[in-house]
Amino acid sequence: MPDVAIVGGGIGGLSVAHELVERDFDVTVFEANDRFGGKARSMEATAHRKPLHGEHGFRFFPAFYRHVFETMERIPDGGGTVADNLVETEQTLIAAVDGPERVATGATPDSLRGWLDAARPAFAEDLPRRDVAFLLERMLYLLTSCEQRRAEELDEVSWWEFIDAENRSQEFRDRLGYAVQSLVALRPQVGSARTVGSIYAQLLFGQMNPDRPTEQILNGPTSEAWIDPWVEYLTAQGVDLNPGRPAESFEVSGGRIDSLALADGERVDADAFVLAVPVEVAPSFVSPELAEVAPELGDIAQLDTAWMNGVQYYLTEDVTLSRGHQVYADAPWALTSISQVQFWDDYDIEGRGPEAVEGVLSVIASDWDTPGILHGKPARECTREEIITEIWAQLKTHLNTEETRLTDEMLVDTFLDPAIVETENGVENRSPLLINTVGSLKHRPPADVGVDNLVLAADYVQTNSDLASMESANEAGRRAANALFERYGVGDRAQVWELEEPAVFEPFKRQDRLRYRLGLPHPGEVTQSLRSVSSRLLGSA
């Protein structure tokens, strides 16, 4: 079988390696970091013989994930598989400085009232009914739109504009901002209505599906519970894994890849190559000659990124907070967190790091442009230490309103994502996140870009999963493998799933396909336009 060189050992690179090696391809992976897993990998967080783990940010696995789960089921771990390391969450705590705390359950509804409550956005409990009803109407517009309308119209409009946010209540605009930004590190003013709406719908349907857990997390640090067993399995299957060996460029000749140049000067020859590096790195591999052969590769440089990075607080107590995630409704830096040790049944925290550590609170900050409450600066302009103390202050203001949950005396140690690097004017982010901005779909390449010995496997590839995530990277890896299988005549293809939406919407989508081919608007468009005009007129009266 052919030999394939993969550049990048994140989720996309490991996924394509998995599919290829199981069909007897000779596979070599080159990874720049000293550990595999990309943004999902765990890192040593404390200077001890057995250090505690830190991460880029906590991992969570919603019900609509299919590709990642199926891969996990094929990775042996102990007497079972990595999929056995998934643990179901039960609830989400929504904490606010102004207003009472709320707890949203992750359980599948078992009554009519439960179904109605589940259909309401989790952030909308105390919002005007007209705003909630209008948001649900907009969701129905999206769900009854054909795929071509979504791709060519809804991807060209922001979520903010699509839900007519300027004509809704201030409370709605404020809550909408944190709800979207905490999900995808994306301001609703610039996020594509296609992506934000579709993923919100998937999360909603996930809660209503009795056959799958609404959301799961791992029962230990990501590398221990998933990446390390994966690397062990791939090695046993014959994959040649090379950590700490960054690649620099492709050598192109005659419209195809001739060889891969590594940073140490070595030239790697292979029958085929897979580019599986992050979106901010990929353009450095696209030479003018390569972009001329595959213009889609040149478009990668036009994709946007945002910052969504994490910090772990190691505490003297296991402050559980809730059996799931916490969302901080009006935190300036759009914070979300999870108290992890309650889910880590087999993780020996007492044998790692400082003896005093009993709990780990993992926090992600998604807004790096809004001034904080402690230092009065956006995160981008802070030092690393100021970021850590600012996030801690925002957590305390949200969690200590009704009772004192967090105190400075609890803090033993902290770990901020090392991708956040100090500069003269603040910090830079060496591991940003792809974001689906308005009109970005057309700039995202397919896995097969038309170069006969090159395919792509990363979360910026066009996938059904759409959102920058482990799921999208895994699906991209499968698509890259299938492109190679097509070229080399391998009939056993990697499975790729569509996003599932209730069948009740299919007749409406079929009708909209006809309307779209005829150049007619969606039936809901006229209603939206009239409502916007009347709202503006009433607002100026």
Side-chain angles (χ1 to χ4, degrees), residues 352-430:
R352 300 172 186 265
E355 292 183 3
V357 175
E358 297 289 340
V360 180
L361 185 60
S362 185
V363 188
I364 291 177
S366 300
D367 186 333
W368 293 70
D369 298 305
T370 299
I373 63 173
L374 185 63
H375 303 293
K377 298 185 292 184
R380 292 176 186 268
E381 298 178 10
C382 291
T383 65
R384 284 177 56 88
E385 183 60 30
E386 287 173 338
I387 292 170
I388 292 170
T389 56
E390 173 68 45
I391 292 176
W392 182 249
Q394 292 185 31
L395 292 175
K396 289 192 295 183
T397 60
H398 282 74
L399 293 174
N400 294 345
T401 55
E402 299 179 7
E403 60 178 302
T404 301
R405 291 189 175 111
L406 298 181
T407 67
D408 294 342
E409 289 72 28
M410 292 179 180
L411 267 180
V412 179
D413 209 341
T414 60
F415 179 80
L416 175 63
D417 185 356
I420 301 299
V421 177
E422 288 195 14
T423 67
E424 292 183 358
N425 301 315
V427 291
E428 66 178 17
N429 189 347
R430 295 182 179 175

Side-chain angles (χ1 to χ4, degrees), residues 243-309:
R245 296 200 69 190
E248 283 193 340
S249 62
F250 289 125
E251 294 183 350
V252 182
S253 177
R256 69 195 310 270
I257 307 300
D258 188 52
S259 64
L260 172 67
L262 302 183
D264 60 13
E266 181 182 347
R267 294 294 186 270
V268 177
D269 296 323
D271 296 312
F273 299 85
V274 180
L275 185 63
V277 296
V279 64
E280 73 275 9
V281 177
S284 66
F285 285 85
V286 183
S287 64
E289 183 179 355
L290 195 55
E292 184 176 352
V293 177
E296 300 100 324
L297 292 173
D299 285 347
I300 296 174
Q302 300 188 51
L303 297 173
D304 293 314
T305 60
W307 295 17
M308 193 175 188
N309 300 69

Side-chain angles (χ1 to χ4, degrees), residues 321-536:
L321 300 178
S322 64
R323 185 72 180 173
H325 291 94
Q326 298 82 49
V327 177
Y328 301 89
D330 41 17
W333 288 5
L335 305 180
T336 51
S337 71
I338 189 165
S339 183
Q340 294 183 305
V341 173
Q342 61 182 314
F343 298 102
W344 290 359
D345 294 338
D346 296 326
Y347 183 76
D348 181 20
I349 194 168
E350 294 182 359
R352 300 172 186 265
E355 292 183 3
V357 175
E358 297 289 340
V360 180
L361 185 60
S362 185
V363 188
I364 291 177
S366 300
D367 186 333
W368 293 70
D369 298 305
T370 299
I373 63 173
L374 185 63
H375 303 293
K377 298 185 292 184
R380 292 176 186 268
E381 298 178 10
C382 291
T383 65
R384 284 177 56 88
E385 183 60 30
E386 287 173 338
I387 292 170
I388 292 170
T389 56
E390 173 68 45
I391 292 176
W392 182 249
Q394 292 185 31
L395 292 175
K396 289 192 295 183
T397 60
H398 282 74
L399 293 174
N400 294 345
T401 55
E402 299 179 7
E403 60 178 302
T404 301
R405 291 189 175 111
L406 298 181
T407 67
D408 294 342
E409 289 72 28
M410 292 179 180
L411 267 180
V412 179
D413 209 341
T414 60
F415 179 80
L416 175 63
D417 185 356
I420 301 299
V421 177
E422 288 195 14
T423 67
E424 292 183 358
N425 301 315
V427 291
E428 66 178 17
N429 189 347
R430 295 182 179 175
S431 186
L433 182 75
L434 170 74
I435 54 174
N436 302 67
T437 53
V438 170
S440 64
L441 181 62
K442 59 180 175 288
H443 298 305
R444 294 169 60 190
D448 186 351
V449 291
V451 180
D452 67 5
N453 65 340
L454 175 67
V455 293
L456 306 183
D459 62 8
Y460 48 85
V461 167
Q462 288 191 18
T463 62
N464 296 328
S465 310
D466 193 47
L467 190 69
S469 61
M470 301 174 291
E471 174 74 353
S472 190
N474 184 284
E475 181 187 337
R478 291 164 180 259
R479 290 176 178 273
N482 284 342
L484 294 177
F485 297 155
E486 174 72 24
R487 294 173 194 179
Y488 291 104
V490 177
D492 180 19
R493 304 296 169 84
Q495 188 166 2
V496 175
W497 284 272
E498 301 278 346
L499 289 179
E500 295 181 352
E501 294 177 357
V504 67
F505 298 115
E506 284 304 317
F508 301 98
K509 292 178 186 177
R510 288 196 297 270
Q511 181 189 48
D512 192 50
R513 290 187 192 105
L514 176 60
R515 294 181 64 88
Y516 194 82
R517 286 198 297 269
L518 295 174
L520 298 174
H522 187 284
E525 190 63 40
V526 176
T527 304
Q528 161 72 352
S529 300
L530 290 175
R531 182 180 286 103
S532 296
V533 171
S534 62
S535 296
R536 293 188 183 97

Side-chain angles (χ1 to χ4, degrees), residues 229-248:
W230 201 3
V231 167
E232 183 178 347
Y233 172 73
L234 294 177
T235 300
Q237 294 299 302
V239 176
D240 182 9
L241 294 163
N242 295 268
R245 296 200 69 190
E248 283 193 340

